[in-house]
Amino acid sequence: MKTCVFAGTFDPPTVGHREVVKTALKIFDSVTVALMLNPEKECLFSEEERLQLLRRLFGGESGVKVRAFYGAAVDLLKEENTPFYVRGVRDTIDFEYENRNRFASEKLMPEMVTIYLPAGQENLHVSSTLIRTSLKFGKDFERYIPEEIAALVKNLLENKNVR
């Protein structure tokens, strides 16, 4: 069984994240969606809220496992017993960023295989940052959130007195 890892901050999960997982499932038997934890990064949603969003988004999808991880991606790959690391890329800026990380990671885990999945044209501009910025300025963000979690995102934001 071929497994891959798709990791990120997912603050919040977007339609682009969903697209990457659905595409990865066309290649792999299973995808581990890993919420990477960085205590130095200030997030809008807590660790538990982001896990809740990811579980709701992918809970009905056979072949998808959601988990949290604190540490280096290469350690996550070793824990998941796979060399395959999937990254979504929207443009050349994403590609250059991901490629720099790949070169560093391959020094730690030479057997690592990074797979870049390009975003569909409709998602080239979508990012969690775009959603957070839209919230900050009171702009519509709902088309960037997967419908499976839209109500939960709104509820979590109301509890935070956001928007």
Side-chain angles (χ1 to χ4, degrees):
M1 187 156 125
K2 289 284 186 195
T3 299
C4 71
V5 168
F6 174 53
T9 307
F10 305 112
D11 186 38
T14 70
V15 293
H17 295 131
R18 181 182 62 193
E19 177 188 20
V20 169
V21 172
K22 288 193 178 290
T23 302
L25 283 170
K26 293 177 182 179
I27 303 166
F28 295 94
D29 299 309
S30 67
V31 177
T32 297
V33 177
L35 173 65
M36 297 301 273
L37 303 173
N38 180 348
E40 295 181 17
K41 190 169 187 177
E42 191 172 321
C43 292
L44 175 62
F45 294 98
S46 71
E47 172 186 341
E48 196 48 52
E49 289 168 334
R50 289 178 286 148
L51 281 171
Q52 182 182 10
L53 289 165
L54 289 168
R55 288 182 179 126
R56 173 86 48 95
L57 179 57
F58 298 115
E61 192 75 59
S62 68
V64 176
K65 175 174 98 173
V66 172
R67 65 169 292 189
F69 188 78
Y70 176 80
V74 295
D75 296 327
L76 172 62
L77 291 170
K78 289 174 184 172
E79 258 190 38
E80 290 297 323
N81 198 31
T82 183
F84 302 111
Y85 192 45
V86 168
R87 307 304 299 149
V89 292
R90 294 166 293 198
D91 55 24
T92 58
I93 295 168
D94 280 356
F95 177 78
E96 292 296 330
Y97 172 81
E98 295 297 342
N99 229 22
R100 280 191 300 277
N101 287 338
R102 177 178 69 91
F103 293 137
S105 294
E106 284 178 349
K107 300 266 189 242
L108 301 171
M109 185 180 173
E111 67 274 21
M112 179 177 155
V113 177
T114 304
I115 298 160
Y116 299 118
L117 297 178
Q121 187 174 15
E122 67 280 1
N123 290 328
L124 288 175
H125 64 293
V126 177
S127 69
S128 296
T129 302
L130 173 65
I131 293 168
R132 292 190 309 272
T133 301
S134 297
L135 278 166
K136 184 187 297 184
F137 294 109
K139 301 299 179 193
D140 179 48
F141 63 91
E142 292 178 32
R143 66 182 161 269
Y144 309 125
I145 300 282
E147 60 192 44
E148 299 91 335
I149 61 171
L152 180 55
V153 168
K154 286 181 197 174
N155 185 45
L156 291 171
L157 289 170
E158 285 173 11
N159 290 339
K160 295 176 181 300
N161 292 320
V162 178
R163 186 150 189 220

